[in-house]
Amino acid sequence: EVLRDAAKGKLLGVPMPFVLLILRAIIMWFVLHRSIYGRYLLAVGRNEEAARFSGINTRRVIASSYIIAGMLTGISGILFAFYTNSVSPSTHGNFYELYGIAAAVLGGCSLRGGEGSIIGVLIGAALMRALNNSINMLGIPHQLEFVIIGGVILAGVIADELVKRYAAQRRARVALTPAEKAV
């Protein structure tokens, strides 16, 4: 009954899944942006070898991040099962990882790791929902939905790469001495 209420209930008129999403987002924001563990996690994601040389136990950080991700995925899976009132082990939640990747990329997370924010992922998830609703409202066939989402991921990766190159070129120009700039 508690899980069913968490999946389908309301708190002050707001759907409980949304309330739980916001609570988890706030907790994870503090973990990622205001704790030493979050700094370690971002450092390991950006450059695992450099993080290891700086004294971070990278194996422990990686293992714990997978444990936390698995725990949050399990909670979400249970709530999703109660929300849909059915579970089909072979197909339940099929391709949801694609939605998660697309939401993260749209939210500004780098696929190479070490960059991103919880707020960005929430915005990316909202954009994915809007994209999914638009696809349904326009009557686009279900098979093309994955092509469109794949295109969104591809566009996000290309944009991420272009931004990285531009930032690297800009840093290189700033690092030049005045004599080198004159040449």
Side-chain angles (χ1 to χ4, degrees), residues 14-88:
V14 179
M16 276 304 290
F18 184 73
V19 172
L20 293 173
L21 169 75
I22 297 302
L23 285 174
R24 281 186 277 178
I26 290 169
I27 292 167
M28 294 313 295
W29 183 85
F30 276 105
V31 168
L32 187 62
H33 296 290
R34 296 288 184 246
S35 71
I36 294 172
Y37 175 76
R39 278 189 237 139
Y40 285 0
L41 191 61
L42 290 172
V44 169
R46 187 169 299 239
N47 188 338
E48 183 179 348
E49 190 174 346
R52 186 169 38 82
F53 285 141
S54 68
I56 298 172
N57 186 345
T58 56
R59 295 180 86 197
R60 182 176 292 158
V61 170
I62 292 169
S64 64
S65 69
Y66 279 113
I67 290 168
I68 292 169
M71 180 187 68
L72 292 172
T73 303
I75 292 168
S76 299
I78 290 169
L79 291 176
F80 186 62
F82 275 98
Y83 180 75
T84 59
N85 278 334
S86 69
V87 175
S88 175

Side-chain angles (χ1 to χ4, degrees), residues 82-153:
F82 275 98
Y83 180 75
T84 59
N85 278 334
S86 69
V87 175
S88 175
S90 62
T91 60
H92 202 69
N94 230 6
F95 295 109
Y96 272 51
E97 69 279 2
L98 182 66
Y99 296 121
I101 293 168
V105 168
L106 283 175
C109 292
S110 174
L111 290 178
R112 288 173 290 221
E115 295 177 20
S117 70
I118 301 299
I119 302 297
V121 172
L122 287 176
I123 292 169
L127 288 173
M128 282 304 301
R129 252 350 277 163
L131 179 64
N132 196 350
N133 286 343
S134 299
I135 289 169
N136 289 334
M137 289 170 66
L138 292 173
I140 297 172
H142 182 66
Q143 295 83 2
L144 290 178
E145 178 180 348
F146 299 118
V147 173
I148 293 169
I149 292 171
V152 167
I153 293 173

